[in-house]
Amino acid sequence: MMESLLPNVDWEIMWKATVETLFMTGFSIIFTFILGIILGITLFLTGKGNMWSNSFINKVISAIVNIFRSIPFIILLVLLIPLTTFLIGTMIGPKAALPSLIIGAAPFYARLVEIGLREVDKGVIEAAKSMGAKPTTIIFKVLLPESMPALVSGITVTTIALVGSTAMAGIIGAGGLGNLAYLQGFQRGNGDVTLISTIIVLIIVFIIQFIGDYITKKLDKR
């Protein structure tokens, strides 16, 4: 019955594309999380009135974040082809999409981290300072724990955006569901392939959103 309803869908190829999409999303979100936290904390702490207040460094990092956050992802993919080829050795395949995905998503998440840190009660930070807490203690014992619901919510939004970016990367040869939907679905006029690819992407997004919302609710004690 499935073959008559979806005559052009090869489930083995569909599964391979799904795994490639999950690989690109999973791998890139790990590095995006790490880089985003580092950039976000630096942006916050070098901001006016904070522990490491430094206008020059703050403006430089802020400019870098704003530039990479503003470049449309499809253009970023093309611009980073030389870097991708240098790092990965090829510009084709799921691994080749990782540099662009990480560089495109980390600045976006860094801003969300900075916003989350700004929501931390300054009284709690001042209390930690008055007790002689070191900067690393304030970061790991106060700032990150207090802002954790916002950080989880932010990484959920970023992960969903990354799923969309993997589909876009597929159009220029990164593999995954986007590649399958475009090459075997759109270009060959196989609407059923495009439909199933889209449904799988939606299922992935819904699962990510559900898990993210669940963890955020568990962490948020307000």
Side-chain angles (χ1 to χ4, degrees):
M1 184 176 176
M2 290 289 280
E3 289 181 356
S4 59
L5 287 173
L6 307 166
N8 302 301
V9 176
D10 184 323
W11 292 103
E12 191 174 333
I13 293 175
M14 189 65 72
W15 172 249
K16 182 174 179 289
T18 303
V19 171
E20 287 175 345
T21 294
L22 292 174
F23 166 78
M24 286 187 281
T25 305
F27 205 91
S28 56
I29 202 61
I30 293 171
F31 285 91
T32 295
F33 180 77
I34 295 168
L35 285 175
I37 289 285
I38 293 171
L39 285 172
I41 287 176
T42 307
L43 274 171
F44 175 75
L45 292 180
T46 56
K48 188 177 180 181
N50 291 327
M51 278 194 304
W52 298 340
S53 180
N54 187 310
S55 175
F56 176 74
I57 292 176
N58 186 269
K59 285 179 180 176
V60 169
I61 297 175
S62 185
I64 293 171
V65 166
N66 286 341
I67 288 169
F68 281 97
R69 203 163 55 107
S70 304
I71 299 174
F73 183 68
I74 194 72
I75 296 175
L76 188 66
L77 273 169
V78 177
L79 287 175
L80 293 178
I81 284 176
L83 176 66
T84 299
T85 307
F86 173 75
L87 292 174
I88 310 296
T90 177
M91 55 173 281
I92 304 296
K95 288 183 181 176
L98 296 178
S100 301
L101 289 169
I102 295 165
I103 292 173
F108 175 75
Y109 183 55
R111 280 297 182 199
L112 297 179
V113 171
E114 185 193 13
I115 292 169
L117 294 174
R118 282 179 184 171
E119 292 176 357
V120 176
D121 187 351
K122 289 191 181 299
V124 179
I125 301 172
E126 291 303 322
K129 282 183 185 176
S130 66
M131 288 188 287
K134 296 178 182 177
T136 51
T137 305
I138 293 174
I139 292 171
F140 291 105
K141 300 287 186 182
V142 178
L143 288 175
L144 291 179
E146 290 290 326
S147 61
M148 194 54 71
L151 300 186
V152 173
S153 180
I155 200 65
T156 303
V157 172
T158 307
T159 307
I160 290 172
L162 269 171
V163 174
S165 297
T166 63
M168 213 180 300
I171 294 175
I172 65 165
L177 291 165
N179 182 269
L180 188 67
Y182 182 71
L183 290 182
Q184 295 196 21
F186 175 71
Q187 286 198 335
R188 296 183 183 180
N190 298 327
D192 51 348
V193 176
T194 307
L195 176 65
I196 296 300
S197 300
T198 306
I199 289 173
I200 295 174
V201 168
L202 288 174
I203 291 171
I204 292 172
V205 168
F206 288 152
I207 291 173
I208 292 168
Q209 187 69 61
F210 175 78
I211 295 172
D213 287 346
Y214 179 79
I215 296 174
T216 301
K217 285 179 184 176
K218 285 288 181 186
L219 291 171
D220 196 349
K221 305 298 181 187
R222 290 173 294 181

